[in-house]
Amino acid sequence: MALDKTFDPAAIEAKWYSHWETNGLFRPERPDAVPYTIVNPPPNVTGSLHIGHALDNTLQDVVIRYERLRGKDALWVVGTDHAGIATQMVVERQMEARQDKRTNYSREAFVDKVWEWKHESGGTITGQLRRLGCSMDWSREQFTMDPHFTRAVVKVFVDLYNKGLIYRDKRLVNWDPKLKTAISDLEVETREIKGGFWHFKYPLADGVKRDDGLDYIEVATTRPETMLADMCVAVNADDPRYASVIGKEIVQPLTGRRFRIVADEHADPELGSGAVKITPGHDFNDFEVGKRAGIKPADMLNMFDAEALVVQTADGLIPGKYLGLDRFVVRDMIVADMKAAGMLIPHVTKDKDGEPVEAEAEPRTIQTPFGDRGGVVIEPWLTDQWYVNAAELSKAPLEAVRSGAIEIVPKSWEKTFFNWMENIQPWCVSRQLWWGHRIPAWFADDGEIYVAETEEEAQALAGNKTLTRDEDVLDTWFSSALWPFATLGWPENTTLVQRHYPNDLLISGFDILFFWDARMMMMGQAMTGQNPWPRLYLHGLVRAPDGQKMSKSKGNVVDPLGLIDQYGADALRFFMAAMESQGRDIKMDERRVEGYRNFATKLWNAARFCESNGIAVSQAIAAPKATSAVNKWIIGEVVECLAELNQAMADLRFDAAANAIYHFVWDQFCDWYIELIKGNFDEETKAVAGWVLDQILVMLHPFMPFVTEELWGALGDRSSYPLITAAWPDPQASVDAEAKAEVDWLIALIGNLRTAKNELGIAPGTKLEAYLPEPSAQTRGVIERNPGAIERIARLSAVRFEAAPAGAAMQIGAGDASLIVPLEGVIDIASEKARLAKALEVSQKEAKSLEGRLNNPSFVEKAKPEAVEKARADHAMHAAEAERLSAALARLG
């Protein structure tokens, strides 16, 4: 079958992906092979492919295709996460659009509607992963709400509870008043909001005065509304202003509540007044201060309901006019009421004339937490929730990383891992939702809690007590933490569990190191006694071209599907791999993606050239016998590229692996080998060229699966031997040093001569003569054995082994030789020298000017980063141009 003249990615991508999946080629039957396993970070079932997914899954696919080609029983587990909050929100929004709402249904009926949505619309991202070329085992696609997975989740919860590692506690959580659920730290995004810093007087009780005669403590807050639940004021024990009143009481002006002044290191004498109002039920720092002051969580006051409306506290001291109102409405009311009571200390500034100006609050830019789903300000809220003893579970992962049983790549992330794990807090795993894994706990009227895998087992534990099941569901990170083993059928000891757990590698974004990766380590050790994998690779983020983080609000988000439509999946994949440099962030560069599309086109055209010249593909693993230097050389180049590629994959250096195959294909094979063999298609050369092209297709396949599979099938009858399951190269050959030296000499001669012609404005096709008096025996041999290549490619009509005639000439270096090429009659030497000298002067002047600017600290520190970056790039360009022009002048010297 003759290859089409034009390379069309879209046509071949749809054809080959369907073929691979339909024929089960992503998981060929290899029961006797060495197993190799990775799992994909399960994307949300509500999700669509974004550029981060494209990077993450490209790297995984490169690995799994590589290991599959190496003959492994390669399994890439694929699936989606039920994404409790996100999915429930999607379904509720659809209901709202129909003037319907969740509360019109029973819990069971609503969950049925979510399942309907999942079956109809929940597969968007899995289709998009197919477009990227991901060779996942779709025959075993997993979902975190599948029955077998739910059984695993329930068993883990019950087992950890029975071991005392899961418990119920009253603590502060991140509460989303819109969604009315606790959310994780990952679901909180901090925004800078313009707000105020209010200063108030808190009167001392019983006529007590400070040593300075004041009868009040000055406190400041950005959240005046929380004063309705204040329970103490903290000062520093070393602050002399308050030493005499520590232990004395305050009377809160609006509620009349009396509470103590306590000494606590949280109060900084250098910050504000040095005194801090403490609301332990509504601030994470205050919660800890309250506990140190002896206030039990059960006694901490709660002044908000689930929608952040003010409710009465346990002591009944909140004035009725605030009850039932929104927190921010109450904030304004409290400021007004404190001002009316003479308890507001105004913020004083000066106007342009130096006159004092009073304001109610000091303007502040405040780091404010928002829910990433609900979009409203998060409220620290004191509730009863379920917690995992993460400190205990973290011990085994910490030891695994310290001992090297788990290798984190790049190693620089270890410090961050240790810092977080050694200071880990209890993990809140309960969520106030209907969609998710319902917590297997039942409450009796007497307050006892019974945890069991089924209601029948719980009832057996409770006897004749009436039980009510917990309404909450588990955090989705809890279930996804079981992904490496629950997807294989655990808790059953299945064949898959035996062969594929532990997994071999996890590839993940660094941003979920703690929320997913570390928790998989915890659960893997806790439930199986084994680490989930021996290696964890953390990649960086894909950023906008200017280095900024991509976000919809900035309008700089890049759609990977749009790039695939324009340049093909292979080009996008190669860009991702080539730019991934051990965890460093990637700057999006569409021109590079286009460049890799051109790379695929170059390979396509090289294959067409081979096809048109009767070069047949080879089924052989070992390299053919070769006698000519150029054929020995290209076989050696395959050997070196393969070694470089294998080492890079072992080290997880995706950029090095991609660059090794890129330069071999583009430079050695397409630019040089094909050029050197033109006009010399003997049987040996045809055999070698066909074999090398086969090795290229196999080595390139993990990065560019579509174009390589198309060429593999089109260049020979291999319908029963697809590339995806072919054998990884094993040339059974070595580098021939003599042949390598000979071809490298020719390449240097041709390259240097082309450069010189370009520098001096000589047309590329101009034929010249060269002189080489007293050549070494080796150099003379190379020239005498390759007259055709020297004349056809170097465009030298002759190389004479004698002294050059007098007159202007240029020198061309190649190996140990320096060839003299006469220029008399070829160019106007004087005018060419003048042109080069003038251009050199301009480049040197520009380079010097830019160097002066870059050496000026004021410019580097104060200019915009993009301006500094441009100045550096321009300086490098002019410096290189000056060097090139100097070399050109030297040639004419």
Side-chain angles (χ1 to χ4, degrees), residues 408-713:
I408 297 179
V409 182
K411 193 176 178 66
S412 55
W413 280 108
E414 282 188 4
K415 183 178 180 181
T416 307
F417 173 81
F418 289 137
N419 182 59
W420 189 77
M421 293 287 275
E422 288 166 355
N423 296 282
I424 200 166
Q425 297 297 308
W427 173 17
C428 176
V429 293
S430 45
R431 299 290 182 264
Q432 290 63 54
L433 303 168
W434 281 1
W435 171 245
H437 296 106
R438 197 165 176 184
I439 290 175
W442 285 262
F443 301 107
D445 293 337
D446 60 6
E448 284 293 315
I449 302 174
Y450 298 92
V451 173
E453 292 190 32
T454 65
E455 186 171 1
E456 291 73 22
E457 292 175 11
Q459 194 66 64
L461 292 172
N464 59 3
K465 296 179 184 178
T466 300
L467 299 180
T468 303
R469 185 165 186 179
D470 194 325
E471 293 286 330
D472 291 352
V473 300
L474 284 163
D475 173 19
T476 52
W477 293 108
F478 184 93
S479 49
S480 64
L482 318 183
W483 195 247
F485 52 88
T487 51
L488 301 174
W490 186 94
E492 298 299 325
N493 190 26
T494 64
T495 302
L496 280 172
V497 170
Q498 293 171 23
R499 277 183 65 75
H500 293 279
Y501 187 82
N503 307 161
D504 290 89
L505 170 70
L506 180 75
I507 294 177
S508 157
F510 71 83
D511 52 336
I512 54 173
L513 170 59
F514 308 121
F515 298 101
W516 189 50
D517 307 343
R519 286 167 178 170
M520 282 189 287
M521 295 187 206
M522 294 181 196
M523 292 301 190
Q525 279 281 0
M527 304 314 299
T528 72
Q530 294 177 286
N531 297 315
W533 11 257
R535 299 182 90 188
L536 167 62
Y537 182 86
L538 299 171
H539 60 74
L541 301 176
V542 184
R543 295 186 175 273
D546 60 1
Q548 291 192 57
K549 190 172 182 179
M550 291 186 189
S551 70
K552 292 179 181 178
S553 60
K554 293 177 182 175
N556 62 356
V557 173
V558 173
D559 177 13
L561 297 174
L563 293 172
I564 291 173
D565 289 339
Q566 191 167 0
Y567 303 111
D570 284 336
L572 177 61
R573 289 166 58 100
F574 205 93
F575 168 79
M576 291 299 182
M579 298 297 287
E580 171 53 32
S581 182
Q582 292 244 328
R584 295 178 186 169
D585 288 348
I586 294 173
K587 285 186 182 180
M588 192 64 226
D589 186 347
E590 192 170 329
R591 290 172 301 174
R592 291 286 294 266
V593 181
E594 183 180 11
Y596 292 127
R597 156 66 191 266
N598 296 340
F599 171 59
T601 301
K602 191 173 183 75
L603 174 64
W604 184 271
N605 291 335
R608 288 183 65 242
F609 169 82
C610 291
E611 182 185 53
S612 66
N613 285 283
I615 295 172
V617 291
S618 168
Q619 303 284 358
I621 292 295
K625 297 295 182 183
T627 58
S628 74
V630 70
N631 286 331
K632 290 179 180 178
W633 167 77
I634 196 64
I635 290 171
E637 293 298 303
V638 170
V639 170
E640 289 188 331
C641 178
L642 180 63
E644 194 175 342
L645 193 53
N646 283 334
Q647 187 60 56
M649 291 301 295
D651 296 338
L652 297 176
R653 288 303 305 256
F654 295 96
D655 54 345
N659 289 328
I661 186 63
Y662 176 89
H663 288 296
F664 174 70
V665 173
W666 190 291
D667 300 335
Q668 275 71 20
F669 184 72
C670 294
D671 277 359
W672 290 114
Y673 181 68
I674 286 179
E675 195 66 34
L676 289 167
I677 66 172
K678 280 181 180 176
N680 183 32
F681 298 113
D682 56 27
E683 291 307 310
E684 176 189 303
T685 299
K686 287 182 179 180
V688 171
W691 177 83
V692 173
L693 183 54
D694 258 15
Q695 310 316 298
I696 284 172
L697 296 179
V698 179
M699 290 190 290
L700 185 57
H701 179 77
F703 304 90
M704 289 184 151
F706 292 111
V707 66
T708 51
E709 188 75 86
E710 176 70 9
L711 292 174
W712 179 269

Side-chain angles (χ1 to χ4, degrees), residues 8 37 123 130 140 240 299 334 343 346 353 359 381-383 430 500 512 543 565 583 587 632 642 646 724 728 752 790:
D8 179 11
T37 316
R130 288 173 165 90
R140 295 192 62 262
D299 297 328
I334 284 175
M343 296 298 171
D353 299 321
W381 201 43
L382 192 64
T383 61
S430 45
H500 293 279
I512 54 173
R543 295 186 175 273
D565 289 339
K587 285 186 182 180
K632 290 179 180 178
L642 180 63
N646 283 334
I724 191 174
W728 189 247
N752 291 341
I790 289 173

Side-chain angles (χ1 to χ4, degrees), residues 43-113:
N44 287 354
V45 71
T46 58
S48 293
L49 192 74
H50 58 61
I51 202 72
H53 290 134
L55 170 62
D56 194 67
N57 287 281
T58 291
L59 301 182
Q60 293 174 75
D61 198 43
V62 168
V63 169
I64 207 70
R65 286 181 184 270
Y66 172 72
E67 296 295 349
R68 190 185 295 119
L69 288 166
R70 294 174 75 206
K72 303 281 186 68
D73 179 22
L75 170 62
W76 185 5
V77 176
V78 62
T80 49
D81 190 280
H82 64 279
I85 293 175
T87 305
Q88 183 160 321
M89 281 184 66
V90 166
V91 176
E92 288 199 59
R93 282 179 187 149
Q94 289 184 349
M95 297 173 82
E96 288 170 6
R98 301 191 302 267
Q99 282 75 52
D100 200 358
K101 56 183 178 180
R102 172 172 57 95
T103 50
N104 290 340
Y105 300 86
S106 67
R107 182 185 188 121
E108 291 72 19
F110 175 77
V111 169
D112 286 344
K113 286 190 171 294

Side-chain angles (χ1 to χ4, degrees), residues 235-411:
V235 298
N236 196 289
D238 297 327
D239 192 334
R241 293 172 295 178
Y242 305 115
S244 66
V245 293
I246 292 174
K248 304 299 183 182
E249 289 193 328
I250 290 287
V251 178
Q252 209 287 329
L254 299 180
T255 63
R257 184 180 299 115
R258 293 171 68 107
F259 44 76
R260 289 184 302 117
I261 299 170
V262 300
D264 194 277
E265 60 187 12
H266 176 62
D268 183 354
E270 304 298 322
L271 188 63
S273 67
V276 185
K277 60 179 279 308
I278 301 300
T279 316
H282 296 285
D283 183 275
F284 288 103
N285 288 324
D286 291 7
F287 179 79
E288 299 301 328
V289 175
K291 287 200 300 182
R292 291 195 291 270
I295 304 172
K296 296 178 180 178
D299 297 328
M300 292 178 182
L301 299 175
N302 192 342
M303 59 168 283
F304 291 129
D305 66 8
E307 296 179 84
L309 303 178
V310 175
V311 294
Q312 188 56 267
T313 50
D315 57 10
L317 294 177
I318 295 181
K321 68 176 183 176
Y322 302 127
L323 300 178
L325 300 180
D326 179 80
R327 53 186 164 164
F328 299 121
V329 173
V330 171
R331 172 181 296 181
D332 294 338
M333 292 173 63
I334 284 175
V335 170
D337 290 347
M338 288 292 281
K339 183 177 182 180
M343 296 298 171
L344 174 67
I345 301 173
H347 176 66
V348 181
T349 57
K350 293 184 179 180
D351 63 16
K352 60 181 180 179
D353 299 321
E355 296 298 318
V357 177
E358 287 189 357
E360 289 184 349
E362 173 188 350
R364 283 281 183 94
T365 297
I366 301 167
Q367 302 291 324
T368 306
F370 280 77
D372 66 348
R373 304 282 183 187
V376 300
V377 176
I378 294 304
E379 193 64 49
W381 201 43
L382 192 64
T383 61
D384 291 305
Q385 303 281 349
W386 289 96
Y387 290 89
V388 171
N389 185 345
E392 183 62 32
L393 292 185
S394 69
K395 291 178 181 177
L398 278 166
E399 176 55 31
V401 176
R402 286 196 187 101
S403 69
I406 292 179
E407 177 192 10
I408 297 179
V409 182
K411 193 176 178 66

Side-chain angles (χ1 to χ4, degrees), residues 202 204 207-218 235 239-245 261 273-275 345:
Y202 268 28
L204 292 160
V208 171
K209 292 186 178 181
R210 289 160 38 181
D211 287 347
D212 57 10
L214 295 178
D215 60 356
Y216 64 88
I217 297 287
E218 179 183 343
V235 298
D239 192 334
R241 293 172 295 178
Y242 305 115
S244 66
V245 293
I261 299 170
S273 67
I345 301 173

